[in-house]
Amino acid sequence: MNYTKEKVLFVKIADRLCDDILSGRYQDGDRVASVRELAAEFEVNVNTVLRAFDLLQRDDILQQQRGIGMLVARGARRRVLAARRRDFLQTELPDFLRRLRLLGMDVSDVQRAWEEMEA
């Protein structure tokens, strides 16, 4: 994992689990790796993973199932996608559009690049 300072570690772990949900690695009802497994994978303290789990439970992305572990909540993918889109539109897109303008580019330049990527 890339340990840069822009986000605290437990948020990065939560983001990674959300990425796994968006990519289809985890579906609704799937059991995610245990606290100890994730702590070993990310080379962090167990408490850091617990904080990530707590954050995802508060956002209704994960739910605790007694005797089984942490499961992906029903509708988690939809909630993650909506939150990520909202965040993109509010934080990343304005900066991107500002940089386009500064570089003398417009949306048609982005469209061409998109089409080239898809080819």
Side-chain angles (χ1 to χ4, degrees), residues 2-3 8 11 15 22 29 31 35 44 47 54 56-57 60 77 83 85 95-96 99 101 109 117:
N2 183 9
Y3 298 113
V8 292
V11 174
D15 283 349
L22 289 177
R31 181 186 168 278
V35 170
V44 298
N47 290 325
D54 182 56
L56 293 172
Q57 282 183 284
D60 200 24
R77 185 179 192 288
R85 286 177 175 171
D95 186 52
F96 175 75
R99 285 186 290 154
R101 188 171 291 125
D109 295 310
M117 261 182 40

Side-chain angles (χ1 to χ4, degrees), residues 61-80:
I61 305 301
L62 296 181
Q63 59 188 31
Q64 178 73 39
Q65 181 76 30
R66 189 175 209 122
I68 295 176
M70 202 61 75
L71 305 178
V72 177
R74 182 175 305 210
R77 185 179 192 288
R78 178 180 39 78
R79 282 188 291 284
V80 170

Side-chain angles (χ1 to χ4, degrees), residues 2-107:
N2 183 9
Y3 298 113
T4 58
K5 295 191 189 248
E6 69 258 0
K7 285 187 180 178
V8 292
L9 212 43
F10 77 93
V11 174
K12 288 182 183 185
I13 294 169
D15 283 349
R16 171 72 181 282
L17 289 169
C18 287
D19 289 347
D20 289 344
I21 291 168
L22 289 177
S23 73
R25 178 177 177 201
Y26 292 124
Q27 304 286 323
D28 287 1
D30 284 353
R31 181 186 168 278
V32 299
S34 73
V35 170
R36 293 188 193 287
E37 290 168 334
L38 288 173
E41 178 183 339
F42 294 120
E43 299 176 349
V44 298
N45 187 292
V46 170
N47 290 325
T48 304
V49 177
L50 286 171
R51 289 182 72 189
F53 278 0
D54 182 56
L55 176 64
L56 293 172
Q57 282 183 284
R58 282 186 280 138
D59 290 343
D60 200 24
I61 305 301
L62 296 181
Q63 59 188 31
Q64 178 73 39
Q65 181 76 30
R66 189 175 209 122
I68 295 176
M70 202 61 75
L71 305 178
V72 177
R74 182 175 305 210
R77 185 179 192 288
R78 178 180 39 78
R79 282 188 291 284
V80 170
L81 194 55
R84 293 274 178 97
R85 286 177 175 171
R86 210 171 30 253
D87 183 56
F88 175 78
L89 290 172
Q90 292 172 354
T91 60
E92 295 179 46
L93 187 59
D95 186 52
F96 175 75
L97 294 173
R98 181 187 60 77
R99 285 186 290 154
L100 276 180
R101 188 171 291 125
L102 287 172
L103 295 171
M105 300 171 72
D106 62 26
V107 177

